Amino acid sequence: MQDLGNAINESLSDSERIAEAIGEIKRAGYDVFLVLEATIGFNKREEGEDASSDDAGLSEPQEIGATGRVRFTTQDQRFLKALRIAVDEEV
């Protein structure tokens, strides 16, 4: 399990795309704190159980939509604008 955590950490640390995004945020005048949390579950397979049997109970993918609304503060809007993220406001 520790090896998996180290591999994930190394891949994030070595990511040019992540480094560029963090650099862009810093150039916009912000400090960056990146905290990621991952939950990884393990289940011991029974002897003789095929790995392919795990997919047997899966159904077709379904699209899930949200009907809620999000309100952004002025600070939120400035931050998103600094990241060049446009937020369409409902009229």
Side-chain angles (χ1 to χ4, degrees):
M1 216 173 344
Q2 185 65 38
D3 288 341
L4 178 58
N6 290 339
I8 292 170
N9 187 38
E10 286 176 25
S11 66
L12 292 174
S13 298
D14 295 341
S15 171
E16 289 182 30
R17 186 171 178 194
I18 292 173
E20 289 172 9
I22 290 173
E24 193 170 324
I25 294 167
K26 286 182 177 182
R27 284 188 296 279
Y30 297 92
D31 290 327
V32 179
F33 301 93
L34 178 61
V35 178
L36 301 175
E37 183 176 329
T39 303
I40 302 169
F42 294 90
N43 286 323
K44 186 82 171 167
R45 284 190 294 237
E46 299 293 323
E47 279 189 41
E49 186 177 336
D50 279 346
S52 62
S53 66
D54 294 341
D55 297 336
L58 298 179
S59 61
E60 291 294 315
Q62 297 179 0
E63 185 174 322
I64 299 172
T67 58
R69 294 175 51 121
V70 177
R71 291 189 145 187
F72 293 108
T73 65
T74 304
Q75 186 176 5
D76 294 334
Q77 292 172 346
R78 275 190 248 135
F79 177 72
L80 293 172
K81 185 177 180 181
L83 297 175
R84 296 186 202 137
I85 298 173
V87 179
D88 296 331
E89 294 184 25
E90 277 189 42
V91 178

